[in-house]
Amino acid sequence: MSETQKLKQVAAVFFKLGLFAFGGPAAHIAMMEQEVVTKKKWMTREHYLDLIGATNLIPGPNSTEMTMHCGYQRAGKKGLFIAGISFIFPAVFITAILGYVYVRYGALPQVQPFIKGLQPAVMAIIASAVIKLGKKAVKNWELAMLGALFLAASVLGLNQILVMLVGGVLGMCYFFIRSKTWQKTHTIAPLFMVFMFSEIGSKLSALGIFLKFLKVGSILYGSGYVLFAYLDTELVSTALLSQKQLIEAIGIGQFTPGPVLSTATFIGYQLGGFWGAVVATAGIFLPSFLFVWLLNPLIPKMRKSKVLGYFLDSINVVAVAIMLAVLITMSKQTLVDWQAAFIALISGVLIFKFKKVSVMWVLVIGAILGYVLGFI
């Protein structure tokens, strides 16, 4: 297959994912696994796990960075950029339209019934990925114990980034000592990039908006709720945005498909109109492209290193444990009535029994059922 054909294939796969990727990073990563590992077979499940583990070590939106890794794997550096842009574009486009509607009319369309149906469908997709990735990640009883330990830590509410790093280091030290292989190893220093910018005046220029969101994109770890804290500090505390506007912007990012960081598009439109939306979007996503570009070639070297291989194995099993913790939390929050339980059951049957059914159709069916059952 030629490079052009591969790039077209990458664009098609991730644009489709961008249209249907609801439910947050865990769901996005599960959907990607279904597409690029199970269906397309672009890489082994082991390598996909390594990409997840490495992605958790750098700032930025994990699921978006995973699209870039997958694009790089399939079609090189051009594939990295094509995959990332294709995945981001649908969310950014929808969010920009909603930003325009909000600025002009001061209100947003009601989509809650559809979202209520999507949530249990997403749970079935995450459960499928946890099972498949868990089979590859849990290579021995020690890794199973490590996963169980950090699953408990994550369910109890400990910081997920801390859980990930501690799990990786603890597992690396244990397996290194157990192997009794005290050979000389090569280590790779982590990459950190922090931008400290300040803007003068209460009204931001296009450059000021870009720098604000570039700073956030460069240091952001964690979920949409962490993004809320960052943006509260950068925008609300400086009186550039009201608390109500920020809460509604985060809500937009949650119920539109694709990465929650598309919130930046909505806020950028409020701060600076069309060009404000453009530069805010560019600022918050640009660091992810750079981080993945630098990190991706290093992952095979990490796997070849004995010590860093132990680290990746440990990170991978902790990553699966965190996905399972997300699933448990979602179950408590979502399965609150018979309608949600029914949609989860139907979605589970489609995912596990009819394995050829695309996850996109599972989401569509879930959304329709959520709307219809909402009237009962």
Side-chain angles (χ1 to χ4, degrees):
M1 185 179 288
S2 69
E3 181 185 24
T4 302
Q5 289 174 315
K6 287 183 178 179
L7 289 172
K8 287 180 179 178
Q9 190 181 45
V10 166
V13 167
F14 289 106
F15 182 78
K16 181 174 71 171
L17 279 169
L19 285 172
F20 291 93
F22 290 92
H28 302 170
I29 289 170
M31 293 171 69
M32 256 179 274
E33 187 278 333
Q34 181 81 3
E35 285 291 313
V36 305
V37 179
T38 302
K39 287 177 64 177
K40 305 291 184 185
K41 302 190 186 301
W42 288 355
M43 66 187 80
T44 64
R45 194 159 279 123
E46 290 87 347
H47 187 63
Y48 188 77
L49 271 168
D50 285 348
L51 294 179
I52 296 174
T55 298
N56 278 290
L57 301 178
I58 58 176
N62 289 352
S63 56
T64 306
E65 289 170 344
M66 279 298 294
T67 68
M68 299 171 191
H69 278 301
C70 293
Y72 196 117
Q73 183 73 22
R74 182 60 176 165
K77 292 177 183 177
K78 290 180 182 178
L80 181 158
F81 290 97
I82 293 294
I85 292 169
S86 298
F87 181 70
I88 293 165
F89 180 78
V92 167
F93 182 74
I94 295 168
T95 306
I97 293 174
L98 292 174
Y100 168 78
V101 170
Y102 184 79
V103 168
R104 178 149 188 174
Y105 301 105
L108 294 168
Q110 295 297 315
V111 295
Q112 193 58 38
F114 294 100
I115 301 302
K116 190 174 180 181
L118 281 170
Q119 289 170 340
V122 162
M123 286 172 47
I125 295 169
I126 296 175
S128 173
V130 166
I131 292 170
K132 286 185 287 187
L133 294 175
K135 287 178 180 177
K136 294 295 180 182
V138 182
K139 299 177 179 180
N140 49 53
W141 70 268
E142 292 105 323
L143 284 172
M145 291 294 292
L146 184 70
L149 174 64
F150 286 99
L151 168 63
S154 189
V155 168
L156 289 173
L158 295 184
N159 182 276
Q160 290 186 353
I161 302 302
L162 180 62
V163 168
M164 185 76 65
L165 291 174
V166 171
V169 171
L170 183 63
M172 178 182 69
C173 293
Y174 170 79
F175 287 112
F176 181 68
I177 293 170
R178 195 196 68 169
S179 71
K180 299 178 182 178
T181 306
W182 299 85
Q183 296 175 353
K184 195 175 185 179
T185 59
H186 297 284
T187 59
I188 300 170
L191 299 166
F192 295 98
M193 187 167 68
V194 178
F195 294 88
M196 300 303 294
F197 298 109
S198 61
E199 294 79 22
I200 299 173
S202 60
K203 185 173 176 60
L204 288 177
S205 64
L207 177 61
I209 295 170
F210 174 75
L211 295 178
K212 279 279 189 188
F213 284 93
L214 182 67
K215 176 182 176 182
V216 172
S218 301
I219 60 177
L220 174 68
Y221 277 98
S223 67
Y225 300 106
V226 179
L227 175 65
F228 180 92
Y230 276 83
L231 293 179
D232 185 80
T233 301
E234 291 294 324
L235 301 173
V236 177
S237 63
T238 55
L240 293 168
L241 208 66
S242 71
Q243 191 83 49
K244 177 177 178 290
Q245 286 174 314
L246 179 58
I247 291 171
E248 289 178 336
I250 294 292
I252 288 290
Q254 294 286 350
F255 74 65
T256 51
V260 73
L261 265 67
S262 62
T263 297
T265 309
F266 185 86
I267 294 174
Y269 201 100
Q270 294 178 67
L271 295 175
F274 174 78
W275 288 111
V278 170
V279 297
T281 305
I284 204 162
F285 284 110
L286 180 60
S288 293
F289 284 96
L290 297 177
F291 285 135
V292 174
W293 191 5
L294 293 170
L295 178 65
N296 189 278
L298 301 179
I299 296 173
K301 296 178 183 178
M302 293 174 68
R303 175 51 69 188
K304 288 177 183 177
S305 164
K306 209 166 190 64
V307 172
L308 294 178
Y310 295 145
F311 182 72
L312 278 178
D313 284 340
S314 304
I315 282 282
N316 291 346
V317 79
V318 175
V320 174
I322 288 175
M323 287 182 70
L324 181 54
V326 169
L327 181 62
I328 292 170
T329 303
M330 282 184 69
S331 300
K332 293 177 181 178
Q333 296 173 349
T334 302
L335 302 180
V336 294
D337 52 36
W338 72 267
Q339 290 96 332
F342 178 75
I343 296 170
L345 176 63
I346 294 297
S347 301
V349 170
L350 290 173
I351 289 287
F352 291 100
K353 185 70 175 175
F354 302 96
K355 296 183 179 180
K356 292 185 178 180
V357 175
S358 170
V359 291
M360 313 303 175
W361 282 113
V362 175
L363 290 172
V364 170
I365 292 168
I368 293 171
L369 285 174
Y371 181 79
V372 173
L373 295 178
F375 292 100
I376 299 176

